[in-house]
Amino acid sequence: MPLLAVRELAAGYGPVEVLRGVDLEVGEGEIVALLGPNGAGKTTLNRVASGLLRPRAGEVSFDGQRVSRLAPQAIVEAGLVQVPEGRRVFPDLSVHENLLLGAYRRGRTRRPANLERVYALFPRLAERRRQAAGTLSGGEQQMLAIGRALMAEPRLLILDEPSLGLAPLVVEQVLALLVELNRAGLAVLLVEQNVVQSLAIARRAYVLEQGRIVAAGPSATLLADERLRRAYLGL
Amino acid sequence: MLEPSILTASLVHGLANGAVYALVALGLSLVYGVLHIINFAHGALLMAALYGVYFLVERLGLDPYAAIPILVPAAGAAGYLLHRWVVAKASRGREEAVLLVTLGIALVLENLAVALFRSDTRTIETGWAFAMVAVGPALLPAAKLAAAAGALLAVALLWALVRATDLGRAIRAVAKDREAARLVGIDVEHVFALAFAIGTATLGAAACLLLPTYYVSPQVGHGFVLIAFTIVVLGGMGSFWGAFWGGLLIGVVESLGGLFLGESLGQIGIFAIFIATLLLRPTGLFGRAV
Ligand SMILES: Nc1ncnc2c1ncn2[C@@H]1O[C@H](COP(=O)(O)OP(=O)(O)OP(=O)(O)O)[C@@H](O)[C@H]1O
Ligand SMILES: [Mg+2]
């Protein structure tokens, strides 16, 4: 049984239909990439998975439990944690306070140990722990958003375009970190437009276009696909 | 020509009143900062809390300060339920609807008070309340001094709650970004109701502190609504320290206004500040959110 299973999911906003029957799975311990152009519906899918948006049809289940009718806090409690698009750190709370809030619902008892772990992972955050999160650079905010998510001891981490607006070197660091976390057992759904780098770390990938999965398979297969190479890599 | 000592005395009086005004305004400001609603029921809820103290003192013979540990949690619980069952339900998340809902609550509470207690003005008797204590050149009733000290303590506790507890961090997170708050697992509706509850709990404390030197009537909230709105606008909507300093300032303005213009005109200064702030500096003196 996959850790995350999305079945025939349809969702949208008012008259706007965004997702039209999406099927997707993430297995225990996997890194899976979800690729697609602007407006494809990637963020909408994440919003449904995190309980921010109710599906119109189909369902999302996590660890065998139907989550698409649960409240967002119950989904976090189950261990599905998201690093949202645009990072969404709390700008006028300090770095430290942002991290503390990461363990608001889950991981509360091991909060001190997890703080140490996150600070060890991101020494920059430790240096800036008293600073307001809004004063951090984009890369540091991304680290904080990831650190905040790790405080909840996720079983599945969904990252929505973590590379957006970051310098190439920082993107490398973030992706290397995901690989490291994955080695320790974390399942990752990496939502990206950065095709080459995402496929380099993901085992499998899905391509979403206009609310439908148009291609899926092992990363190597997708990288070799002529049509995808033309559409996404300009090759 | 006024004696300088009269001026200083008036200042001390103003600061003492201002500390309680600050507490009342902080409740309003906190609710605004988190829920982005102006709670028009704030004054009527203070009135209800004042009746609460009045009956605890008159019927049960409690000391008004001994009523604090009863009234603060009771007012908080009432605020929580009022938000969950009435404000949140009736508004369905629409902010302009919330305005009308809180206005409606104010009307219901006031009419209920008139029906139950008539329009009489009631006061409590405490033997020591008007014993005079010298503060510099000023002679203050002991209860007024106690009220100021109690209000300052309550403000400090409120600050500690907002700054240094998980609930306080959750409140600030919700105030800033509701969706991101949901993504860390904060139950936003619960935090909304808790913020509203803290707002009414401050009124519970304020009522206990006020009543020994004040009175209660069904309309008693009106004056406080004007004062609290002025303070919150002056300090910057949602700003904690803005509300605090604004409260002290308005207390002083009212007191000096009374000194120069006479009791009945003293509140004109508050109106003038309210309008001047809206015209000249609508973001307030400390224009920054919670
Ligand atoms: N709140 C909303 N109300 C109405 N339409 C929306 C809303 N949010 C998104 N949409 C529309 O839904 C479609 C999919 O948006 P979504 O954000 O899911 O795409 P995305 O794949 O994440 O794109 P991007 O790569 O730009 O982040 C877009 O056409 C968008 O305009
Ligand atoms: Mg998106």
Side-chain angles (χ1 to χ4, degrees):
Chain A
M1 185 181 57
L3 188 57
L4 179 77
V6 176
R7 301 267 177 254
E8 293 174 21
L9 187 68
Y13 309 91
V16 187
E17 252 186 273
V18 178
L19 300 176
R20 311 145 199 262
V22 171
D23 288 278
L24 175 150
E25 284 181 2
V26 180
E28 204 92 51
E30 258 194 319
I31 300 185
V32 172
L34 174 63
L35 308 171
N38 288 112
K42 306 182 296 296
T43 299
T44 303
L45 178 64
N46 293 343
R47 289 170 52 81
V48 174
S50 282
L52 298 176
L53 181 68
R54 295 281 162 236
R56 290 189 177 158
E59 62 176 57
V60 178
S61 50
F62 179 67
D63 198 19
Q65 190 191 6
R66 246 177 104 165
V67 296
S68 35
R69 299 281 183 275
L70 291 183
Q73 64 267 22
I75 295 174
V76 171
E77 184 130 47
L80 195 172
V81 182
Q82 183 183 161
V83 178
E85 185 174 57
R87 326 185 213 300
R88 305 285 279 271
V89 297
F90 301 111
D92 40 14
L93 271 66
S94 71
V95 167
H96 196 70
E97 290 178 315
N98 269 275
L99 292 178
L100 289 175
L101 274 179
Y104 186 84
R105 180 66 51 185
R106 192 177 143 92
R108 186 78 74 102
T109 48
R110 282 174 303 281
R111 191 158 76 172
N114 288 335
L115 271 171
E116 288 310 310
R117 194 177 129 235
V118 168
Y119 281 137
L121 224 43
F122 304 108
R124 297 285 288 230
L125 297 184
E127 288 164 27
R128 288 161 168 62
R129 69 208 299 164
R130 304 255 157 263
Q131 214 167 303
T135 65
L136 299 181
S137 74
E140 289 162 350
Q141 288 192 17
Q142 189 62 58
M143 290 172 192
L144 179 56
I146 295 173
R148 182 178 66 184
L150 293 179
M151 289 298 295
E153 306 182 338
R155 300 176 58 204
L156 171 68
L157 187 63
I158 299 183
L159 298 103
D160 197 338
E161 302 206 37
S163 74
L164 203 70
L166 300 191
L169 199 68
V170 184
V171 175
E172 290 282 341
Q173 285 171 2
V174 168
L175 296 181
L177 172 77
L178 294 181
V179 171
E180 195 183 317
L181 293 168
N182 173 253
R183 281 213 190 94
L186 178 68
V188 175
L189 177 62
L190 175 62
V191 177
E192 266 295 348
Q193 297 199 41
N194 191 334
V195 175
V196 177
Q197 281 176 304
S198 307
L199 289 180
I201 70 161
R203 188 162 83 189
R204 297 185 301 115
Y206 295 84
V207 179
L208 185 69
E209 277 179 17
Q210 295 179 16
R212 289 200 176 84
I213 299 291
V214 295
S219 297
T221 315
L222 287 179
L223 260 178
D225 186 307
E226 270 307 316
R227 202 182 67 81
L228 291 179
R229 286 170 74 87
R230 262 200 307 277
Y232 290 98
L233 306 175
L235 299 174
Chain B
M1 195 54 210
L2 280 167
E3 295 249 359
S5 67
I6 295 182
L7 210 59
T8 341
S10 171
L11 242 129
V12 172
H13 267 273
L15 287 173
N17 287 335
V20 180
Y21 294 164
L23 181 60
V24 172
L26 271 169
L28 190 68
S29 177
L30 182 81
V31 169
Y32 179 80
V34 178
L35 295 142
H36 308 304
I37 60 168
I38 296 170
N39 177 16
F40 280 111
H42 204 61
L45 289 164
L46 176 62
M47 176 271 292
L50 281 164
Y51 274 109
V53 193
Y54 177 82
F55 285 109
L56 284 175
V57 170
E58 287 299 304
R59 294 287 149 81
L60 301 182
L62 274 184
D63 183 271
Y65 301 123
I68 291 178
I70 300 173
L71 212 68
V72 169
Y80 187 92
L81 297 178
L82 193 62
H83 186 268
R84 280 233 110 137
W85 290 350
V86 182
V87 179
K89 283 245 159 62
S91 65
R92 305 219 166 276
R94 285 172 47 232
E95 294 182 359
E96 63 287 1
V98 178
L99 211 97
L100 294 176
V101 172
T102 63
L103 209 56
I105 293 171
L107 288 176
V108 168
L109 285 177
E110 275 173 30
N111 285 304
L112 211 61
V114 172
L116 290 174
F117 315 125
R118 295 185 309 280
S119 296
D120 302 348
T121 294
R122 298 165 193 240
T123 55
I124 52 169
E125 295 294 330
T126 44
W128 50 274
F130 288 95
M132 290 299 188
V133 181
V135 182
L139 274 179
L140 281 184
K144 195 159 253 192
L145 203 62
L152 291 180
L153 181 67
V155 169
L157 287 175
L158 200 57
W159 174 246
L161 172 74
V162 171
R163 279 289 126 185
T165 67
D166 281 312
L167 174 60
R169 281 186 283 273
I171 282 176
R172 283 181 288 141
V174 168
K176 208 67 193 183
D177 188 339
R178 292 172 188 185
E179 201 156 271
R182 290 191 204 279
L183 288 176
V184 297
I186 293 172
D187 180 348
V188 170
E189 282 66 35
H190 181 57
V191 169
F192 279 167
L194 283 175
F196 202 88
I198 293 170
T200 51
T202 62
L203 296 178
C208 296
L209 298 171
L210 272 172
L211 199 57
T213 58
Y214 214 71
Y215 64 89
V216 56
S217 74
Q219 288 79 30
V220 69
H222 295 175
F224 283 95
V225 167
L226 170 68
I227 288 173
F229 281 175
T230 306
I231 292 168
V232 170
V233 167
L234 177 70
M237 307 289 285
S239 157
F240 189 99
W241 291 112
F244 177 72
W245 294 116
L248 295 185
L249 185 66
I250 290 298
V252 168
V253 166
E254 184 191 44
S255 176
L256 292 182
L259 186 63
F260 289 110
L261 305 173
E263 285 294 333
S264 54
L265 283 177
Q267 289 213 328
I268 279 188
I270 300 177
F271 267 117
I273 288 189
F274 185 62
I275 290 165
T277 312
L278 286 180
L279 290 178
L280 302 176
R281 202 175 153 78
T283 55
L285 297 179
F286 298 74
R288 211 180 77 91
V290 176

